[in-house]
């Protein structure tokens, strides 16, 4: 077994032993056999670091219907030849509505004016519209504007639209580009810088990444009933070409709560299996003081950040009160090993989170009684 698998196995086996107790007069005292039950045990398995038509070794690609589709490919080229009068200007674009491979290699004919010059090449897929980046006079984006393209839910205040594949694209200057409705994730490439041959031709290989993040939840109640759960702090904005950076002023929303019928005790005791959500990435930074699962509580979130988290409401057996179990998402380090000091959700990952809960979590700062 390799080092990554050993560390991953250890992460899956770690469980927090908590002595359940109850100090509120309105709550029932727990039975003696409840001592030592798990309060919150979170297992995180990041997936899909990179999509090359197959999973990267040691991880699994985000994979369900349409998640790997690449259609409506835009390739956009900018002059990167320092000193040119048109430095940073769009000099070429091509559009194909057909399915393409990933990575995608092609020969571009950039023409006489681009020969022997340095250029930067980008790609966006799954947004449709062949004339999205019309380079006729008055519509030509420069590279800075292009790199600032932001994607919003079609209703800016409804982050559930992210999962529905309904977006609006704008530049940083507030120029609207288009509305997008797609069942496949928007994909983008990193910039590729090349020198064009003296005949105006250049070969380019573009590696495409999903712009979205996927959260998959497994909630396992143990001797307790689950009343509801909800995902909070989902960014309202993502920038297509700013992955792996902290992005300010994105604003945050929450997904609708998943409410379990209070009159259906059987449903409240069932496991929540593979409930998935698509969201925008959330660069929430890291806090080295968070070294284990129990350290991922409100007091340890990185300064100035708003990490994405899940609240789960449940009533432990033997109690009359409802308790809130808060689980911060993110946590990916080198080689996809769990890193509890990291609170960011990164694009092109699936965060596969298993939450096992029982008891009132006495002494666990991730757990609080619902007043």
């Amino acid at each position: 077994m390799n080092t990554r698998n050993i560390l991953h196995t250890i992460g899956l086996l770690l469980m927090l032993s908590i002595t359940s107790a109850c100090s509120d007069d309105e709550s029932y005292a727990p039975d003696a056999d409840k001592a030592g039950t798990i309060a919150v045990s979170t297992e995180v398995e990041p997936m899909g670091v990179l999509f090359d038509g197959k999973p990267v070794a040691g991880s699994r690609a985000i994979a369900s219907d349409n998640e790997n589709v690449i259609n409506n490919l835009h390739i956009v080229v900018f002059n990167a030849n320092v000193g040119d009068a048109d430095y940073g200007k769009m000099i070429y674009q091509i559009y194909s509505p057909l399915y393409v491979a990933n990575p995608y290699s092609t020969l571009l004919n950039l023409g006489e004016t681009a020969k022997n010059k340095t250029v930067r090449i980008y790609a966006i897929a799954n947004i449709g519209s062949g004339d999205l980046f019309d380079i006729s006079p008055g519509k030509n984006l420069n590279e800075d504007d292009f790199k600032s393209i932001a994607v919003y839910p079609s209703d800016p205040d409804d982050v559930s639209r992210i999962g529905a594949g309904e977006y609006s694209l704008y530049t940083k200057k507030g120029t609207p580009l288009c509305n997008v409705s797609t069942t496949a994730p928007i994909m983008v490439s990193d910039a590729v810088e090349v020198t064009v041959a003296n005949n105006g031709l250049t070969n380019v290989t573009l590696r495409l990444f999903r712009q979205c993040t996927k959260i998959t939840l497994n909630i396992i109640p143990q001797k307790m009933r689950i009343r509801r759960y909800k995902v909070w702090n989902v960014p309202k904005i993502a920038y297509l070409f700013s992955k792996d950076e902290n992005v300010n002023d994105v604003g945050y929303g929450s997904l609708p709560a998943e409410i379990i019928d209070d009159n259906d005790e059987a449903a409240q005791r069932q496991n929540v299996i593979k409930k998935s959500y698509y969201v925008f990435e959330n660069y929430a930074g890291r806090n080295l003081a968070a070294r284990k699962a129990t350290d991922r509580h409100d007091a340890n979130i990185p300064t100035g950040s708003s990490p994405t988290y899940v609240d789960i409401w449940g009533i432990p057996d033997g109690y009359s009160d409802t308790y809130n179990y808060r689980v911060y998402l993110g946590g990916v380090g080198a080689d996809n090993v769990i890193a509890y000091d990291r609170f960011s959700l990164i694009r092109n990952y699936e965060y596969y989170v298993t939450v096992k809960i029982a008891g009132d979590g006495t002494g666990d700062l991730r757990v609080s009684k619902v007043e």
Side-chain angles (χ1 to χ4, degrees):
M1 183 178 289
N2 61 37
T3 301
R4 189 260 174 193
N5 287 337
I6 292 171
L7 290 172
H8 178 65
T9 302
I10 292 172
L12 292 177
L13 293 177
L14 285 176
M15 300 177 77
L16 170 68
S17 292
I18 296 292
T19 301
S20 291
C22 190
S23 59
D24 193 282
D25 292 339
E26 295 179 358
S27 299
Y28 301 116
D31 295 335
D33 64 3
K34 292 189 179 67
T37 56
I38 303 164
V40 181
S41 176
T42 308
E43 303 162 358
V44 181
E45 183 177 356
M47 301 181 191
V49 182
L50 175 66
F51 173 62
D52 278 339
K54 61 182 180 179
V56 171
S59 69
R60 285 177 283 172
I62 298 177
S64 70
D65 290 347
N66 297 312
E67 285 180 347
N68 296 337
V69 170
I70 303 174
N71 289 316
N72 299 300
L73 180 69
H74 297 262
I75 298 176
V76 188
V77 182
F78 295 91
N79 184 347
N81 216 56
V82 177
D84 282 4
D86 60 348
Y87 174 81
K89 297 294 185 181
M90 184 188 295
I91 59 174
Y92 179 89
Q93 76 137 337
I94 190 170
Y95 166 75
S96 172
L98 302 177
Y99 174 82
V100 297
N102 190 15
Y104 176 67
S105 297
T106 189
L107 176 67
L108 300 178
N109 184 355
L110 303 185
E112 179 74 16
T113 58
K115 66 181 185 180
N116 299 319
K117 292 189 176 182
T118 302
V119 298
R120 274 188 292 272
I121 305 170
Y122 299 80
I124 305 177
N126 297 337
I127 59 174
S129 182
D131 62 353
L132 178 62
F133 303 116
D134 191 332
I135 59 174
S136 60
K139 295 186 179 180
N140 188 6
L141 293 175
N142 61 38
E143 188 177 8
D144 287 341
D145 286 337
F146 182 80
K147 289 193 298 183
S148 76
I149 292 174
V151 53
Y152 299 72
S154 55
D155 177 345
D157 294 318
D158 182 3
V159 293
S160 67
R161 295 294 89 200
I162 300 169
E166 298 175 7
Y167 312 108
S168 298
L169 298 186
Y170 286 81
T171 68
K172 189 193 306 187
K173 293 181 179 179
T175 302
L177 295 177
C178 71
N179 293 318
V180 181
S181 181
T182 176
T183 55
I186 296 174
M187 293 195 184
V188 296
S189 70
D190 288 333
V192 176
E193 189 169 296
V194 298
T195 299
V196 181
N198 61 10
N199 60 0
L201 300 177
T202 188
N203 286 294
V204 62
T205 297
L206 298 163
R207 193 180 301 273
L208 295 161
F209 302 84
R210 298 176 195 81
Q211 178 272 328
C212 67
T213 297
K214 185 177 181 181
I215 302 166
T216 297
L217 297 178
N218 293 288
I219 303 173
I220 303 174
Q222 299 175 319
K223 294 186 177 181
M224 72 180 310
R225 295 181 288 126
I226 300 298
R227 295 182 56 198
R228 60 178 281 175
Y229 54 97
K230 183 172 182 174
V231 179
W232 296 86
N233 279 2
V234 174
K236 295 180 179 180
I237 303 172
Y239 292 87
L240 291 187
F241 296 97
S242 64
K243 72 183 184 68
D244 301 330
E245 298 176 10
N246 290 315
V247 178
N248 298 318
D249 302 323
V250 296
Y252 297 89
S254 61
L255 296 175
E258 305 282 353
I259 299 173
I260 303 172
D261 187 351
D262 275 340
N263 297 316
D264 192 343
E265 182 172 335
Q268 292 180 0
R269 292 187 181 278
Q270 290 180 354
N271 297 341
V272 175
I273 299 297
K274 294 184 179 179
K275 178 67 178 183
S276 294
Y277 306 91
Y278 295 93
V279 298
F280 289 153
E281 60 206 346
N282 187 356
Y283 296 108
R286 62 192 300 195
N287 181 354
L288 295 177
R291 299 178 180 178
K292 55 188 183 300
T294 50
D295 292 334
R296 289 167 66 85
H297 53 74
D298 291 359
N300 277 341
I301 65 173
T303 301
S305 71
S306 297
T308 302
Y309 61 89
V310 180
D311 275 343
I312 305 165
W313 285 18
I315 304 174
D317 291 355
Y319 293 76
S320 61
D321 294 310
T322 299
Y323 289 84
N324 183 68
Y325 303 82
R326 180 162 294 179
V327 178
Y328 281 99
L329 304 178
V332 180
D335 299 322
N336 294 335
V337 175
I338 298 170
Y340 292 114
D341 62 310
R342 299 175 186 268
F343 288 74
S344 294
L345 290 178
I346 307 300
R347 67 174 61 187
N348 207 51
Y349 271 89
E350 177 175 5
Y351 291 83
Y352 193 93
V353 182
T354 297
V355 183
K356 299 178 181 179
I357 56 177
D360 70 344
T362 299
D364 190 329
L365 297 178
R366 298 170 296 173
V367 185
S368 60
K369 191 171 73 171
V370 177
E371 299 294 342

